[in-house]
Amino acid sequence: DVKVTQSSRYLVKRTGEKVFLECVQDMDHENMFWYRQDPGLGLRLIYFSYDVKMKEKGDIPEGYSVSREKKERFSLILESASTNQTSMYLCASRNSGASYNEQFFGPGTRLTVL
Amino acid sequence: SQKIEQNSEALNIQEGKTATLTCNYTNYSPAYLQWYRQDPGRGPVFLLLIRENEKEKRKERLKVTFDTTLKQSLFHITASQPADSATYLCALSVGSYIPTFGRGTSLIVHP
């Protein structure tokens, strides 16, 4: 059974803290994605990675960075958390080779920044 | 850029009826369109893919249509059940590598 796991389901942090969100997939997928989802705004792409050590900015990269040192792991970093980064964060992976391939999503991390 | 519109109002229907959800898009016709289901507090789960040269796709009680003239996709669930209650997202790709997601429509099936 294919799986994308995220390190935490719920996370509470304080303004200014550095936050790490981890995502691991066991499907040997090349592509990985980080989204945030907010009511009324839908899924917005933060960063994606075509392959190990490769990354591309999505639609809303400001305030975030990513790391992909191993194929199975894609980390999202909030350098200095702010209250407007309170959101649901979703990681996804996809097999490369066809842009229509389905994305497999993790369960999400609900981050609250106080 | 591609703009995707899904009805923001929840769709309420009675069990056993057919639910029809709409995904409208502007600008260029996508090369393909995907539908996902999302339950509260969970990540989306892929349901169906339809390509631009396909008019209709079926999977069990699910049916998706794709009308490039109207710039619209319809997602149907026949014989709906309370367990079908969820938010349904459409995602379009115009040929770029990354699909764009709609905001989703909530479906509520009443017993």
Side-chain angles (χ1 to χ4, degrees):
Chain A
D1 198 18
V2 297
K3 218 165 192 179
V4 178
T5 56
Q6 295 184 228
S7 49
S8 306
R9 290 302 308 276
Y10 300 93
L11 208 53
V12 180
K13 295 291 181 181
R14 297 223 172 259
T15 301
E17 280 192 79
K18 191 168 186 175
V19 182
F20 293 87
L21 301 182
E22 303 284 338
C23 175
V24 177
Q25 50 98 1
D26 65 359
M27 296 165 279
D28 201 36
H29 285 168
E30 292 81 10
N31 305 156
M32 295 188 75
F33 309 81
W34 274 107
Y35 295 89
R36 64 178 281 178
Q37 187 173 34
D38 301 286
L41 295 177
L43 275 171
R44 293 182 291 167
L45 183 66
I46 305 172
Y47 267 97
F48 61 97
S49 170
Y50 290 108
D51 211 330
V52 178
K53 296 194 186 293
M54 298 175 72
K55 58 188 179 185
E56 295 285 340
K57 292 179 181 179
D59 299 318
I60 51 163
E62 297 78 19
Y64 304 94
S65 62
V66 291
S67 172
R68 183 121 182 249
E69 295 297 316
K70 292 186 177 181
K71 191 174 187 179
E72 67 271 17
R73 188 178 298 269
F74 192 33
S75 303
L76 180 70
I77 303 149
L78 286 66
E79 296 291 341
S80 178
S82 63
T83 54
N84 62 12
Q85 292 179 309
T86 291
S87 185
M88 169 70 108
Y89 289 87
L90 288 159
C91 173
S93 73
R94 180 180 71 181
N95 196 2
S96 68
S99 59
Y100 54 78
N101 285 345
E102 66 184 278
Q103 292 184 327
F104 293 86
F105 284 84
T109 295
R110 187 164 292 283
L111 172 67
T112 301
V113 182
L114 302 174
Chain B
S1 63
Q2 190 69 276
K3 191 175 178 183
I4 302 161
E5 293 175 357
Q6 292 188 260
N7 198 338
S8 58
E9 288 185 20
L11 176 64
N12 285 271
I13 64 167
Q14 285 298 125
E15 183 175 8
K17 301 292 185 184
T18 296
T20 298
L21 304 174
T22 305
C23 178
N24 294 304
Y25 59 91
T26 59
N27 299 334
Y28 308 110
S29 282
Y32 67 90
L33 193 150
Q34 299 174 332
W35 283 89
Y36 289 77
R37 168 185 173 140
Q38 186 175 23
D39 291 287
R42 313 295 296 183
V45 175
F46 173 79
L47 296 174
L48 277 171
L49 161 77
I50 187 165
R51 294 183 175 81
E52 61 180 335
N53 59 351
E54 297 175 319
K55 296 287 186 192
E56 183 179 296
K57 205 80 168 281
R58 291 176 185 262
K59 180 182 176 183
E60 298 172 352
R61 294 185 295 113
L62 309 181
K63 184 178 85 170
V64 173
T65 61
F66 198 177
D67 190 326
T68 54
T69 302
L70 293 178
K71 296 193 174 184
Q72 182 181 81
S73 174
L74 298 179
F75 177 81
H76 306 273
I77 305 176
T78 57
S80 59
Q81 305 163 1
D84 294 325
S85 299
T87 296
Y88 292 86
L89 308 171
C90 68
L92 284 71
S93 175
V94 179
S96 67
Y97 201 66
I98 307 297
T100 302
F101 282 84
R103 298 178 184 183
T105 299
S106 175
L107 171 66
I108 303 167
V109 182
H110 299 275

